Amino acid sequence: MAFYIKVTKKVADSLGLTKMRNETADGNVLLWQADVAKCEGDTVFDRAKAVGGICLTPQEAKAEIDGPENPVDVNTPDEYKSDDVIDGEEVSNECSK
């Protein structure tokens, strides 16, 4: 089954994917499984957890876009909180390579 991974905007920005993916009603971003394929973890659930996200079915993802009564909470791991800039470019996380 295919899953979407709900992550914070900060994580999606760090991975360079914010403008290419759907935004949820609460301002977070839905990534694709392939977006986290190189992240730490053996399963898509492990990889989602590594980026502070959660796996959602297509129906759950659609509900997050529409604005559910109780949106799923996600967090920004410490390694994505950095605002480091080198030569005018933001430093990206290992997952994005």
Side-chain angles (χ1 to χ4, degrees):
M1 172 180 257
F3 290 97
Y4 290 89
I5 297 93
K6 181 179 177 182
V7 298
T8 63
K9 186 175 183 309
K10 185 84 170 170
V11 170
D13 286 345
S14 178
L15 296 174
L17 297 168
T18 303
K19 294 181 182 179
M20 297 182 283
R21 300 295 180 260
N22 289 323
E23 187 174 313
T24 61
D26 61 359
N28 292 298
V29 179
L30 295 174
L31 301 181
W32 301 342
Q33 284 182 222
D35 296 333
V36 296
K38 293 183 180 179
C39 293
E40 182 180 318
D42 294 329
T43 68
V44 68
F45 301 101
D46 294 338
R47 293 180 193 115
K49 186 176 179 181
V51 295
I54 189 162
C55 290
L56 302 172
T57 65
Q59 295 82 5
E60 292 168 329
K62 173 76 168 95
E64 290 288 329
I65 292 169
D66 292 342
E69 206 170 294
N70 298 307
V72 176
D73 288 328
V74 291
N75 66 71
T76 303
D78 289 340
E79 59 266 26
Y80 293 94
K81 292 180 181 176
S82 173
D83 289 329
D84 293 338
V85 176
I86 298 175
D87 295 331
E89 292 188 22
E90 205 173 303
V91 177
S92 60
N93 186 278
E94 258 322 287
C95 274
S96 62
K97 295 180 182 172

